[in-house]
Structure formats: structure tokens, C-alpha cells
Amino acid sequence: MTGDGGSDASGVDPQELWLTSDRPRRGRKPAFSRESITAAAVALADAEGLDAVTMRRVASEVGAGVMSLYSYAPDKATLIELMVDHVSGELPVSGAPTGDWRADLKAIAHLQRALMLRHPWLPAALSTRRSLGPHTLAFLERALAALRPTGLDGAAKLEVFAQLTGFVAGHVAHEIAQAAAARSPERAAAEARYLAVVAADGHHPELAEALAAPGRALTPEATFTRFLNRLVDGLDSD
Amino acid sequence: MTGDGGSDASGVDPQELWLTSDRPRRGRKPAFSRESITAAAVALADAEGLDAVTMRRVASEVGAGVMSLYSYAPDKATLIELMVDHVSGELPVSGAPTGDWRADLKAIAHLQRALMLRHPWLPAALSTRRSLGPHTLAFLERALAALRPTGLDGAAKLEVFAQLTGFVAGHVAHEIAQAAAARSPERAAAEARYLAVVAADGHHPELAEALAAPGRALTPEATFTRFLNRLVDGLDSD
DNA sequence: ACCATTTCCGTACGTCGTACGAGAATGATG
DNA sequence: CATCATTCTCGTACGACGTACGGAAATGGT
């Protein structure tokens, strides 16, 4: 318990993390940094998935002892929040509102999607908890600015942003799962075989028909854009 | 490796789980059942959350040895899929299409939301993997029937259902998180304090304003309905 | 009576997050 | 420069997890 202003990452409030001032005047000098540890964790997750992010792996990646990490983040959940905010720093914060708030909102969603495709673990990490780090907040600020012309009240604007983010995360998660399934033909074949059995049992005529009608191959991008347009275009109808 | 038709739960294909015929003619009689184990796991998750569902806890809840569970499900992930399909059995399968497919689709979404509120671990369990058990398929069949009047092709109908489910899961997850936050005033106060600091730093004018404008208190139900309407009402605009 | 088959489950292994606390490094103070 | 409080480093250890292994027990077919 160091009171406020210490650089250690303990504290009751999760938010207190983002408020820690950076340099204590006494004591041993830190050999690592929150930044480098977070970056290593992100690189690990990008390369091998979120499950590969263990305290031991991150520590060895960064050349530290395992327990040293706990000087920079009080627990693993916090480290993941740091990761989320870290990659959120890749989101452009400039690009002020154009006046067409629908277009602005769609552009924002596309930025989020691109980020999540670049860091496929992000939707899963977001589903655990909402982070409120500086980069996340900067992007939120941009989204709120874009929503200004709607005249919505504060709570509604925040709600729209949360909903939009949730929508993008859900879509990208699905998109990634599809891509992964397509990459392992054995799994895909097994599922197809199973569905064929179900379709043949006579109790699922609609499913049978849906599977029989091929439907044109649509890029994930196109599907995303279509649903996004539907959601955003309906946004001011109360 | 028992070939096909055995009651053990092994097999390369995850789907094979749902195809296992139930009674092998030889060997010791099972002391438990997939059903009772799954039900115990569901009860546990309902009462203490998904993290409380460990093989040891489920086994002790059901009066079995830990390793006995593996005669009924090949691994924990499969057990969770069983749980998902189990609670999906609570979804009414009757209630044929009324002809107004938008209303039907909205009703379906409301049913899903109610189910997820009753089993708050469900959104998290769904985010891991899509299950295709008999109850899930029965409900999918109903949704496809409701979508028939749209004239969408098979792939598009499946996509719409996946998207709708994802939307509901995302919304309910958010809803549950909000409710949990509201129930622990300390956390809420900490977050409010933190946001106040951020709002006061001058770099987040939009956020400051959004927080200042109170906005009427809207029930989660109302918010859900609003977003759902937006999504569904835009659905046939190509 | 025998045996193939299936289930039951105690034991054990490797991995995880992380509590503890001893040692090393540092800046402030005399 | 000596002391000391402070801060960081990290080896060790603990409990909990998923689950592989394999022997014991039960069952139905022969």
C-alpha cells in the first residue's frame, strides 16, 4: 500500500491503473517498462493467440523473471487490459467529423474491424471487460464528436458507441472463426457431413433447403458493410 | 476407438457427439447420464458463473469421480457445448411464422435475450464456439422458417441468424455487465471518479459533455428493443 | 464359465496464476 | 561516505486446473 502516486500497480480501483504517475524518486530503477511488457504480450497474442499469453511466456519473451511482471500490472486481467489499450493506439484519432455522421460512424466501424483483423484476439479480450485506457478514450472522444450532429443525449451516444463496438467485435469474431474453419478442410468436411445427416432426417426442411441453395459467395468485407449500413442507417429513427 | 455407434464421446469430429446412438449392448451400465451431468453443470453455472464449472466441481455435484465425466464428454469444451444445447431446449420451437417476418424475427431475438438473462454465462459460452446440437438446430429451423418470406438465399438466411444471435449475445453481455457494475457501488464510484478526472483534463470535451448531460434513464429492455428494431427494420434494404 | 466391452475413478503430470519474502539496487538524508 | 527507507527482481512454492493412464468392477454375449 503506497498511497497514491506510486508506480506500483496495486490498488482497489481498476481505473487507478491509468492514473499512476510514472517516476518514484527512490528505490531501484525498473529494468523493464509497462510499455515493453505490453508490447511483448501483444506480439505473442498476435503470433500464437491469446492462450499463449501466460505470465511465464511473456516474462521469458521480455527477459524478465515471472514475478517481475507483477511490478507493472497487478494481475493478468490487467495485463490484458493494457494490451487492449495498447493496440487501440493504432486507431487514428485525427480525421475530424465531416458533417455526415453516418459516414463518419461507418468509417469508425471499419477502422475497428481492421484493427481486430490485425489482432484477432481482440474481440475475445474485449468480451471480458471494457477497458478505459487513454487510447481507448481518445478514440471514444472521436466517436462522440462524430455523433454530435445526431443530437442524442450523452447516455445515448455512449450506448451507440458501445453497441457499435460490440457489433464489430461480434462480426469479426465470426469472420475469424469462419476463416479458421475454411483453413482446416477436415473440420469443415466433418461439419458438412453432419449437417447433411441432419438435413436428411426430414425434421429440418428449412435447413435442408437453405443448405441446398448455394447463394453467391460474398466477401466478409461485403457482408460486414451490408450489416453495418443497416445498423447505422436506422440509427436516428427513434 | 470404438468405430461408429458407440456411446463413448471420443471422435475426431466435434459433431459426432450429437450422432452417438445411446445404448451399447455390452459393458458396465452407466451410473450417470449425459443429461444429468449437463444439467448439473448448467445449475452450477447459473448459480456461480462459468468459472465455477470445473470438472472437479461438476463431478462432485453429481456424485461421480472426476474422470468418470470423460465417459460422457471427451473434454471440457464439449461439456460446455452440451450445456449450450441443453439450455437451448428452453427455447420454444412452436410458434410458427405469422407472415410478418420482421415481427417474427424480433420475437425470436426477445426469446434469445430472455434465455441469456436466465443463464448469464451463455453469451460467454457462445462466444467460444458455435454449437449445433439438436435444440440449437430446432431453433435455427424456426428462425429459417420465419425468414422464408424475405426471399433471401440460404447462405444469407444463415448469416442473418448468426448475426442476430451475435447481436443479442453482445447486447446481453453488456447488459449483464452494467447490472453487475450497478450492484457494486464501489466499483461504479471508482469509475465515475476516474471519468471525472479524465473529463476535467480538457482533452476530452465531448466526453465531458456527454457525462454532463444526464439523459433519461432507459430500461435495458427499451434499449434492446430500440437497437433490435433498427437492425431488423433495415434488413431487406439491400 | 469365460471374455470382450464398457464404465468407474484413484493417481499423477504438466501448466496455470500468483502469494511470499529474501536479496539487490537506488536516492535521500545525516 | 554511511545509513536507511524505498522500490524492484525473481526463486520457490502452493493450490487449482484439465486430463492421460491404467487397474478394478460390472455387464451382456457366447
Side-chain angles (χ1 to χ4, degrees), chain A residues 34 47 67 74 88 117 119 130 146 162 173 178 200 217 219 222 228 233:
Chain A
R34 208 171 269 180
M67 293 312 291
S88 294
L117 287 176
H119 304 289
R130 167 73 58 245
Q178 294 261 71
T219 70
L228 176 63
D233 289 341

Side-chain angles (χ1 to χ4, degrees), chain A residues 135-226:
Chain A
H135 294 123
T136 309
L137 282 174
F139 195 68
L140 170 61
E141 181 71 13
R142 178 182 169 177
L144 291 175
L147 282 169
R148 174 171 285 282
T150 61
L152 293 170
D153 65 77
K157 276 191 270 198
L158 292 172
E159 193 72 42
V160 165
F161 180 69
Q163 206 61 231
L164 188 73
T165 305
F167 165 78
V168 176
H171 183 93
V172 173
H174 183 235
E175 196 173 323
I176 289 169
Q178 294 261 71
R183 236 178 296 111
S184 87
E186 185 179 341
R187 277 268 188 271
E191 177 161 323
R193 221 175 317 119
Y194 169 67
L195 286 177
V197 171
V198 172
D201 74 358
H203 292 95
H204 300 82
E206 301 283 347
L207 179 61
E209 184 181 322
L211 292 174
R216 72 280 115 108
L218 216 49
T219 70
E221 166 91 32
T223 306
F224 174 74
T225 301
R226 179 136 69 184

Side-chain angles (χ1 to χ4, degrees), chain A residues 76-102:
Chain A
K76 191 192 173 183
T78 303
L79 176 58
I80 290 180
E81 290 204 24
L82 288 171
M83 292 169 63
V84 170
D85 196 67
H86 182 88
V87 299
S88 294
E90 298 174 21
L91 291 167
V93 158
S94 60
T98 64
D100 180 352
W101 64 268
R102 286 182 218 274

Side-chain angles (χ1 to χ4, degrees), chain B residues 30 50 170 197 234:
Chain B
L50 201 53
V197 171

Side-chain angles (χ1 to χ4, degrees), chain B residues 34-67:
Chain B
R34 208 172 269 180
E35 178 75 10
S36 65
I37 290 172
T38 306
V42 166
L44 199 50
D46 286 346
E48 306 182 32
L50 201 53
D51 287 346
V53 179
T54 70
M55 300 305 268
R56 289 167 225 264
R57 274 302 298 278
V58 173
S60 91
E61 216 73 34
V62 98
V66 191
M67 293 312 293

